[in-house]
Amino acid sequence: MDKNNIPIRPHHSLCIAFFEGKGYSAEFIKSMTDIIKMLEADDPALTVSRECDIVCASCPHNISGICCTDEKVHSIDCRCLEEYGLNFGDVLHWSELKRLADKNIISCQKLKTVCGQCQWQDICLHQSQQY
């Protein structure tokens, strides 16, 4: 993986913010934990992606590089981009994407609106109340 240009779906900035070791499988949980450690340690440049990204790599919804729930996650991605003032293809560092997620969605209590019917929403909403 090129640590100078890591693809990331916009909504994963929110998933990462509220990740608490739950997930689809032990492989997914380990992968997500490793990704978060790398992002926090290295603050790499990220490319805002419309396609599957590093988080998707171990997700069971990723079927040969295509998300089988793509329509749903694409709509969440688009709502994130609108809140962040970004576009697909934009490049920014993890610290900036994290700041945008906190400033424009998390601290404004917009998770329910942005995330729609995400299956993990209850975890995020519960944790966001502790902010």
Side-chain angles (χ1 to χ4, degrees):
M1 171 186 351
D2 179 1
K3 287 191 178 181
N4 293 314
N5 187 11
I6 297 171
I8 192 160
R9 292 194 83 146
H11 80 274
H12 284 151
S13 60
L14 300 173
C15 301
I16 289 167
F18 295 106
F19 181 72
E20 60 178 36
K22 296 179 180 173
Y24 302 107
S25 65
E27 176 189 359
F28 178 86
I29 292 167
K30 176 165 181 358
S31 176
M32 184 69 134
T33 301
D34 292 345
I35 289 166
I36 293 168
K37 285 179 187 174
M38 180 272 298
L39 292 172
E40 293 297 328
D42 299 342
D43 192 25
L46 307 171
T47 300
V48 179
S49 179
R50 165 70 178 86
E51 309 299 326
C52 285
D53 65 5
I54 59 171
V55 174
C56 301
S58 60
C59 178
H61 294 284
N62 178 353
I63 309 298
S64 300
I66 299 171
C67 180
C68 65
T69 62
D70 190 65
E71 188 175 313
K72 178 177 81 172
V73 296
H74 180 67
S75 67
I76 297 171
D77 283 338
C78 288
R79 288 190 293 272
C80 287
L81 290 177
E82 185 176 324
E83 294 295 334
Y84 298 165
L86 296 174
N87 295 294
F88 290 115
D90 286 352
V91 177
L92 69 166
H93 284 269
W94 165 246
S95 57
E96 179 63 10
L97 184 59
K98 182 177 164 179
R99 185 191 70 76
L100 289 170
D102 182 53
K103 177 184 172 202
N104 298 321
I105 296 176
I106 299 167
S107 64
C108 298
Q109 300 180 353
K110 294 182 180 178
L111 281 172
K112 200 169 198 170
T113 302
V114 171
C115 296
Q117 300 301 314
C118 174
Q119 72 187 59
W120 304 103
Q121 190 178 92
D122 289 343
I123 291 171
C124 301
L125 290 173
H126 174 74
Q127 284 190 37
S128 71
Q129 293 169 357
Q130 298 171 5
Y131 261 72

